[in-house]
Amino acid sequence: MKIRTTKYIIKEGFINAYRNKLMSLASISIVAASLVIFGMFLLITINLGQNLKGLEEQPELEVFCDHELDDAQVQTVEQAIKDNTKIQGYTKVTRQDAFDKVKKMLENNASVLEGMDESFLPVSFKIKLNKPQESKQAVEELRSIKGVEKVTYPQQVIETISKLSYWLRLISVIVIAILLIVAMFIISNTIKLTVFARRKEINIMKYIGATDWFIRWPFVIEGIIIGFLGAVVAFVVISYGYSAIGDKVNSDLIYSGISFIKFVKMREIGFEIISLYAIIGSSVGAIGSVMSIRKYLHV
Amino acid sequence: MVEFKNVTKKYPNGTVALKNINLKVSKGEFVFIVGSSGSGKSTLMKMILKEEDASDGEVFVNGYNVSTMQRNEVPYLRRGLGIVFQDFRLLPNKTVYENVAFAMQIVEAQPKEIRRQVPMALALVGLSRKANVYPNQLSGGEQQRVALARALVNNPCLLIADEPTGNLDPETSWEIMKLLSEINSRGTTVIIATHEKSIVDALKKRVVAIDKGEIVRDQEKGQYGDEDKDYKIHH
Ligand SMILES: Nc1ncnc2c1ncn2[C@@H]1O[C@H](COP(=O)(O)OP(=O)(O)OP(=O)(O)O)[C@@H](O)[C@H]1O
Ligand SMILES: [Mg+2]
C-alpha cells in the first residue's frame, strides 16, 4: 500500500470516529470498563503469584513470642524449641532484626516509625523442621509453649492461595471472554452506524473501482482507534486505582505484622499491562469493524 | 470492447430480464440502448459492470471475461469503465473538485497526476469555474456534468450511462448528450440507455432496441423507433 493511501485511510478512520462521537464514546467506555475488570483480575493473579514466591522462601514455621516477654522468658521459649525433636534447626529474630526489616520494607515511608523503637515488636524464631509432613503436629506443640503468642504456618497459606489463584484464573478467563465479546459487538454496531451513514459513498467507491480493502481499512482504523482509546482510559483508571489501594494495603500489612505479603509495584508491571491492553483493545476493535462491514461490501 | 454471447438473466425471484442476448460493441462506437420501461436496459448495463451476473451465456468487457472473473478482480474491471447514473451520485460533503479527485484517489493515482487531470476533466465538461462549489449549490445539469467529469478523469475506454438525462429538463438533456457525443468523438466508447426519443432520433447513432428482454432491432444511424412496429416484429 502506498504512503498517501495509508495517510488517507488513517485520516478517514479518525473522521469516522469523530463524526460518530456519541457512539464512539459509548464504545470506548465499554472497552475501558471491560479492560478495567480484566486488569483487576490480572493484578490479583499477578500479586498472588508474586506472593506465593515470597511465601515459599519463608521458613516453614515462625514462632512469635508475646512482645511483653523479658529476655529470661524468651530464653525459656528458645530452650523449649531446642528440646523439640521435630525441629532440625532455628534462627532467632531479635526485636532489633524485626525493626530493621520493617524499616527496610517501608522504604521512603520509614518516617511513620519516627519516635518508635523496637519494643513494640515481638521476638520470633524461624524454624526448620526435620520432616515437613509433621508440621501440623509441630505447630500444636509449639503453640502450647508458654509465652508463644502465635505460630504462622505459611505452607497452609500457600495451599489456600494456590487453590484460590487457580479458580481466580479460571473465572477471569470466562469473565474476560464474555466482556470482550460484548465489547466487540458494541464496537461492531458503532461502526455499522458509520458504514450506514457512508453507504452512498461506499457504493460510489465500489463503482469507481475501489478495492474491498481500500473501502474496509478506514472502518478498521475506526475500530482500532476506539479499542485503543478504551485501552488508554482503562490503563489510567487501573494504574491510579491500583497505586492508591496498593500503597494503603502495603502499609496496613506492615502495621499488622504480615511482613511477607507485598503488593507488586505498578511501575514494575505498567508496561506489560499497557501493551496487553493496547493489543487486546485494538484487536477487539479491528475484529468488531470487520464484522460490521462484510454485509455492505457486496455490490 | 463489449460482447454478450447468448446471455440470459433470470433474477432470483424468477423474473427473466434478458433472453438470449447477442450484442457486440466495438472500440469507439456510440450506442443507444432503447426500450420501454422494464424491457431490461438497466439489467444489460449492470451486467457490463458485473453488478449482476449472467444466469447463462458469457459477457466480455475490455478483455475480461466478466462471467468467470474473480470477485477481487472486479475493481480492476471497473477502473477501465466510466459510469454515469441517473441520480448523479455525487458526494454531498465534497466539493466539485474533490468529487472528481476522489475517483483518482481511490485508484491510488499520483497527487501530481490528480492535480493535472482533475482541472482538465472539469474543463472538458465546462465546470472549471465551479470547482470549489458543493453539489447542492449546482443545477441538475451541472451535477450530471460533474459526474461525467468524474467518470472520465481516469481515462476509461468505455463510458456507460444509464438514463443520464432521466432527471433533467429537455434543454439540459441535450447539453449532456452533446457532451457525451463529444467525448465519444475523442475516442471513448459510449453506451447509453435512454428514453429520450427526440435526442436519439436527432443524433443518428447506432440504436439497439430491447423489448421484453430481447433485442428486437439493432441499427446503424438508427431511430428511437415506433413501439408498435417493434412489438409486431417481435410477435
Ligand atoms: N433486482 C431485481 N430483482 C428482480 N427483478 C428485477 C430486478 N431488477 C429488475 N428486475 C426486473 O427485470 C426486468 C427488467 O428490469 P430493468 O430494470 O432492466 O428494466 P429497464 O429497461 O431498465 O426499465 P426502465 O426503463 O424503467 O429503467 C423488470 O421486469 C424488472 O422488474
Ligand atoms: Mg432502467
Side-chain angles (χ1 to χ4, degrees):
Chain A
M1 203 179 319
K2 293 176 182 164
I3 290 168
R4 60 177 169 279
T5 307
T6 314
K7 260 199 231 152
Y8 160 87
I9 280 166
I10 291 171
K11 193 177 122 210
E12 291 294 300
F14 274 97
I15 290 173
N16 283 351
Y18 180 74
R19 277 212 195 119
N20 217 349
K21 286 190 268 313
L22 221 57
M23 277 304 285
S24 294
L25 274 178
S27 311
I28 290 169
S29 318
I30 298 284
V31 174
S34 310
L35 287 176
V36 166
I37 294 171
F38 170 57
M40 295 198 292
F41 277 103
L42 190 71
L43 286 170
I44 292 172
T45 317
I46 289 175
N47 274 297
L48 284 179
Q50 201 73 7
N51 280 305
L52 269 180
K53 260 190 242 154
L55 279 175
E56 277 157 3
E57 286 157 11
Q58 289 287 308
E60 285 173 60
L61 297 176
E62 189 162 4
V63 175
F64 290 88
C65 298
D66 195 318
H67 72 274
E68 281 162 358
L69 294 191
D70 58 33
D71 288 351
Q73 287 166 310
V74 169
Q75 202 69 50
T76 9
V77 173
E78 189 171 349
Q79 194 55 47
I81 291 169
K82 240 183 219 166
D83 294 345
N84 193 313
T85 51
K86 295 194 172 67
I87 290 167
Q88 190 192 65
Y90 70 93
T91 21
K92 185 176 179 183
V93 181
T94 64
R95 289 196 169 93
Q96 188 57 49
D97 292 340
F99 190 70
D100 290 345
K101 200 174 161 202
V102 171
K103 235 190 202 162
K104 198 176 141 221
M105 229 156 25
L106 284 174
E107 287 171 16
N108 311 332
N109 300 324
S111 57
V112 296
L113 291 173
E114 228 164 87
M116 292 182 173
D117 60 23
E118 68 277 12
S119 63
F120 76 101
L121 291 164
V123 175
S124 68
F125 298 93
K126 293 183 172 178
I127 286 167
K128 186 120 182 74
L129 293 174
N130 282 322
K131 296 176 192 154
Q133 58 270 36
E134 286 176 344
S135 59
K136 261 198 186 121
Q137 263 171 290
V139 169
E140 290 306 310
E141 288 173 20
L142 288 167
R143 265 195 194 133
S144 62
I145 297 170
K146 195 164 170 286
V148 168
E149 199 185 64
K150 66 176 179 185
V151 179
T152 57
Y153 179 19
Q155 286 308 321
Q156 203 178 18
V157 182
I158 290 171
E159 276 166 35
T160 319
I161 293 181
S162 301
K163 253 185 231 159
L164 192 71
S165 82
Y166 168 78
W167 284 106
L168 258 173
R169 234 172 274 172
L170 193 73
I171 295 170
S172 64
V173 166
I174 296 169
V175 170
I176 286 142
I178 293 172
L179 286 174
L180 290 182
I181 289 171
V182 169
M184 211 151 75
F185 271 98
I186 288 175
I187 290 181
S188 151
N189 267 312
T190 304
I191 289 170
K192 244 179 228 166
L193 287 183
T194 322
V195 173
F196 188 74
R198 304 193 82 166
R199 64 192 184 287
K200 251 182 93 174
E201 202 167 331
I202 293 176
N203 183 272
I204 292 168
M205 287 166 84
K206 292 225 64 164
Y207 281 115
I208 305 174
T211 56
D212 286 354
W213 273 107
F214 189 92
I215 297 172
R216 218 179 264 142
W217 267 115
F219 298 105
V220 175
I221 297 290
E222 182 187 357
I224 291 175
I225 290 168
I226 289 172
F228 185 78
L229 288 180
V232 170
V233 171
F235 181 72
V236 170
V237 170
I238 203 107
S239 60
Y240 272 96
Y242 180 74
S243 300
I245 294 169
D247 287 350
K248 170 108 181 54
V249 175
N250 265 346
S251 57
D252 283 359
L253 285 173
I254 284 159
Y255 278 124
S256 54
I258 309 173
S259 54
F260 51 83
I261 294 180
K262 202 163 183 231
F263 265 51
V264 177
K265 287 255 158 31
M266 197 62 198
R267 69 179 120 82
E268 290 165 26
I269 47 172
F271 182 74
E272 273 97 337
I273 292 189
I274 184 82
S275 320
L276 192 65
Y277 270 16
I279 292 168
I280 295 178
S282 313
S283 343
V284 161
I287 297 169
S289 62
V290 170
M291 274 169 30
S292 64
I293 26 185
R294 274 173 60 191
K295 192 179 113 198
Y296 287 89
L297 274 180
H298 290 273
V299 175
Chain B
M1 185 91 262
V2 176
E3 189 170 5
F4 282 68
K5 278 186 181 165
N6 306 318
V7 173
T8 294
K9 174 67 192 178
K10 191 174 174 182
Y11 281 108
N13 68 0
T15 312
V16 179
L18 292 175
K19 272 177 255 170
N20 199 32
I21 297 288
N22 282 291
L23 177 68
K24 197 168 170 175
V25 177
S26 310
K27 199 164 165 50
E29 275 196 280
F30 189 110
V31 183
F32 281 120
I33 310 283
V34 301
S36 55
S37 187
S39 55
K41 303 184 294 295
S42 296
T43 304
L44 187 112
M45 303 299 248
K46 283 175 184 170
M47 290 173 81
I48 298 174
L49 315 172
K50 201 174 169 67
E51 189 183 338
E52 293 290 349
D53 282 317
S55 321
D56 203 10
E58 284 180 310
V59 180
F60 297 90
V61 176
N62 226 351
Y64 289 99
N65 183 340
V66 176
S67 327
T68 58
M69 75 194 297
Q70 297 289 315
R71 196 179 129 67
N72 59 11
E73 288 180 284
V74 176
Y76 304 98
L77 163 77
R78 291 182 181 168
R79 285 177 193 192
L81 311 177
I83 304 164
V84 177
F85 303 94
Q86 180 173 353
D87 57 0
F88 321 136
R89 301 203 191 169
L90 299 175
L91 295 170
N93 53 349
K94 284 188 176 0
T95 64
V96 164
Y97 183 94
E98 288 163 350
N99 262 286
V100 178
F102 186 59
M104 294 190 76
Q105 261 169 31
I106 71 160
V107 299
E108 305 192 57
Q110 301 272 359
K112 210 178 73 192
E113 274 292 284
I114 296 179
R115 281 193 297 272
R116 203 184 55 178
Q117 290 287 330
V118 176
M120 270 170 62
L122 287 176
L124 180 66
V125 298
L127 276 180
S128 298
R129 291 170 60 199
K130 304 256 177 172
N132 296 316
V133 160
Y134 286 89
N136 62 4
Q137 297 167 301
L138 295 175
S139 72
E142 286 168 332
Q143 289 186 48
Q144 193 60 303
R145 281 193 269 159
V146 178
L148 259 173
R150 182 181 64 192
L152 293 170
V153 77
N154 286 327
N155 287 318
C157 43
L158 174 61
L159 189 85
I160 289 176
D162 191 358
E163 303 197 39
T165 59
N167 285 353
L168 303 175
D169 60 60
E171 215 167 304
T172 320
S173 299
W174 258 109
E175 284 173 29
I176 296 293
M177 287 295 190
K178 272 190 209 146
L179 201 50
L180 284 166
S181 169
E182 194 186 316
I183 288 160
N184 172 248
S185 66
R186 290 162 182 249
T188 310
T189 313
V190 176
I191 302 178
I192 305 171
T194 186
H195 288 290
E196 302 275 0
K197 184 177 185 329
S198 57
I199 298 176
V200 173
D201 288 345
L203 284 180
K204 295 194 167 45
K205 303 281 189 184
R206 180 175 170 194
V207 176
V208 174
I210 301 184
D211 185 44
K212 295 193 174 66
E214 290 181 88
I215 294 181
V216 290
R217 184 158 51 86
D218 187 348
Q219 263 180 317
E220 292 300 330
K221 299 201 166 118
Q223 299 286 297
Y224 190 85
D226 177 54
E227 309 245 321
D228 286 343
K229 199 176 98 207
D230 287 340
Y231 189 81
K232 269 176 224 145
I233 291 166
H234 177 212
H235 289 266

